[in-house]
Amino acid sequence: SAMVHVVIVSFPAPGHINPTLQFAKVLLQRGIQITFGTTVQAQAYIASSTTTDGISFATVSDGFDSEADVNNSEPHYPRRYERYGSASLAELIRSLTASGHPVDCVAFNFLLPWAARVAHEHGIPSALIWPQPVSVLALYYHYLFTCPESFADLSKEIQLPCLPPLVTEDLPSFFLPGNTHPHAIPMLREMFDNIHENKCGWAFTNSFDALEEDVIASLREHKINATGIGPLIPSLTPKTIKQAVKEAGKKEEIACNGAHEKPAISNDQNAASEEKKPEPSEQDNKPKKSELVEWLDAKPAGSVVYVSFGSIADVKSLQIDELAAGLMGIDHPFVWVIRPPADYPGFPAGFEDVVEKRGMVVRWCAQVEVLNHPAVGGFVTHSGWNSTLEGLVSGKPMVCVPQWSDQATNAKIVSHKWKTGLRGRKNDKGVIEREEFKRCVGLLMGEESGKEMRENAAKYKELAKLAIQEGGSSDLNIKAFIEALQPQPAVAAAPPPPPVEEHKERTME
């Protein structure tokens, strides 16, 4: 398997990079040579956020290689990336081949259907890495191919195979009249067309069979061979790419108590101070707990509410005020990950006193570590798929407050199919108000009201573990992929048959 070389190309946004890079690490651990291609800015983000030993990085250009501040959420960015990235990927494939490292497969994620086309033009198989649940993949497929008429009147309930009944507020934002990303649906169509035309040989999903077995089976009836390889839990910290580029060469403190951020320390300062330090003792070599983990260690099991709306969610000042007031109104200790906008005037009066008594406010944290801490009993989330999957794998019930894209559908599945959480209702300004926040947290954390959600969350936690263990469904699916890429041994020509001796019958005298 050491001879197999996979090029993985990622759209340069954290929600795309995280599972894609985790898949790269999984393949690397199984002896596959990995080249990870993305933009210059995304490479800076990765380098500042995680270890990537053994993975080679290459630029798949978006035409902004020399610029630090690139808005990849701008509506026309994906088509620009297609224009520059197609040529850049083709050149990368040719360069790797010329240097003695031919490519056996190109894997790519959502918004990069052109990567399959480039791979096909070079006679190389390709694999889609779908970064959302299989249920959302199925929803897009039905919208585009099997029953577009079901979506003609969004005021009516939509019934689709293996999904709960859907209404307008449950649909991806790309379906709605106010959609600000017109590129998404055409690119989804191209993605499915690549599969139909056999330009893309695999459709990997960051999910696992036991979680969405019925949806996987229904898609296979339409020749969409959705294959679970998850959970791919990201090891990256939730910085934005813009932050990572700005902070290149700096080290930032992770947690801060209250509303204050600790100052950054430059690498030069660190190097100077390290020269004066004596040789580390055995005690010094032990991993040090963060301030946040030490704070959690002091809290009773299942008592803490963890609140985070993701790495790039644009949280309005009004929403920050309502969340702060809601946290003041609950009895539970809490951790809140929040990065207020530059013009935010400050938290409501009395909030910092509450934080001092029973709260921790941080700009970012190691979310997987926090969710897996026994003190955390519930998760208030924006329902991005990475966060939703981390909540499931950690066995934590959720209050879902979706913002855009697939998040509303994820929230519906969590609350109505898996029943591991409930959805918070927003007002006409798109804000979950303090009283609704308190109602949802009360139900989630209640001994009786939250019992079924906690039991279901614990069930899926165990099923997720089984999927990635030796012989689990995701483990077997990854092994099958690697085996398909292995060079097939040449079949030796069969030796010629021995000459047939003439049979002579003995004559009886």
Side-chain angles (χ1 to χ4, degrees), residues 118-171:
V118 172
H120 184 71
E121 290 168 355
H122 288 78
I124 299 170
S126 65
L128 166 68
I129 307 171
W130 178 252
Q132 297 170 1
V134 185
S135 299
V136 174
L137 182 69
L139 177 56
Y140 286 132
Y141 188 80
H142 293 308
Y143 172 79
L144 287 168
F145 295 98
T146 66
C147 54
E149 67 280 358
S150 298
F151 298 83
D153 185 355
L154 295 182
S155 66
K156 295 180 179 178
E157 190 175 80
I158 299 169
Q159 298 276 356
L160 296 173
C162 307
L163 295 176
L166 302 170
V167 296
T168 302
E169 68 174 12
D170 304 323
L171 297 175

Side-chain angles (χ1 to χ4, degrees), residues 53-66:
D53 295 343
I55 297 175
S56 299
F57 285 85
T59 298
V60 176
S61 180
D62 59 358
F64 290 122
D65 295 356
S66 61

Side-chain angles (χ1 to χ4, degrees), residues 39-115:
T39 65
V40 170
Q41 294 79 16
Q43 289 180 63
Y45 162 63
I46 294 168
S48 73
S49 304
T50 187
T51 57
T52 55
D53 295 343
I55 297 175
S56 299
F57 285 85
T59 298
V60 176
S61 180
D62 59 358
F64 290 122
D65 295 356
S66 61
E67 298 184 31
D69 190 2
V70 178
N71 182 12
N72 58 41
S73 62
E74 191 270 331
H76 299 292
Y77 178 87
R79 287 302 184 190
R80 177 189 173 93
Y81 196 24
E82 176 179 11
R83 189 164 66 252
Y84 287 91
S86 296
S88 185
L89 177 58
E91 176 56 33
L92 174 62
I93 291 171
R94 289 192 293 269
S95 174
L96 289 168
T97 302
S99 65
H101 300 281
V103 179
D104 296 295
C105 182
V106 173
F108 61 95
N109 56 17
F110 174 42
L111 297 180
L112 307 179
W114 45 267

Side-chain angles (χ1 to χ4, degrees), residues 280-295:
S281 66
E282 184 177 343
Q283 184 66 30
D284 292 331
N285 285 328
K286 291 182 179 179
K288 290 188 171 72
K289 291 184 179 180
S290 70
E291 180 183 355
L292 175 54
V293 172
E294 289 182 344
W295 183 88

Side-chain angles (χ1 to χ4, degrees), residues 259-407:
H260 307 288
E261 183 181 4
K262 295 182 179 179
I265 304 170
S266 73
N267 279 339
D268 291 341
Q269 289 172 323
N270 285 341
S273 63
E274 284 173 5
E275 287 176 4
K276 300 173 185 177
K277 290 180 181 178
E279 285 294 317
S281 66
E282 184 177 343
Q283 184 66 30
D284 292 331
N285 285 328
K286 291 182 179 179
K288 290 188 171 72
K289 291 184 179 180
S290 70
E291 180 183 355
L292 175 54
V293 172
E294 289 182 344
W295 183 88
L296 287 168
D297 286 345
K299 301 295 180 284
S303 65
V304 175
V305 176
Y306 172 63
V307 183
S308 175
F309 281 6
S311 59
I312 58 174
D314 183 16
V315 184
K316 304 172 186 176
S317 294
L318 178 58
Q319 181 64 90
I320 295 175
D321 287 343
E322 289 299 310
L323 288 173
L327 289 167
M328 292 168 69
I330 63 174
D331 296 328
H332 300 278
F334 61 86
V335 174
W336 185 15
V337 179
I338 184 67
R339 290 171 293 281
D343 60 351
Y344 183 62
F347 294 109
F351 180 69
E352 292 192 25
D353 292 336
V354 173
V355 170
E356 180 112 14
K357 293 175 183 174
R358 56 179 175 83
M360 178 75 83
V361 177
V362 300
R363 290 183 64 83
W364 57 273
C365 71
Q367 180 162 285
V368 173
E369 181 181 24
V370 171
L371 283 171
N372 277 284
H373 197 287
V376 174
F379 181 20
V380 181
T381 172
H382 66 311
S383 297
W385 182 237
N386 286 336
S387 290
T388 301
L389 197 57
E390 287 166 14
L392 284 168
V393 172
S394 304
K396 298 300 190 287
M398 292 170 261
V399 172
C400 303
V401 189
Q403 307 296 306
W404 78 299
S405 186
D406 61 315
Q407 295 165 10

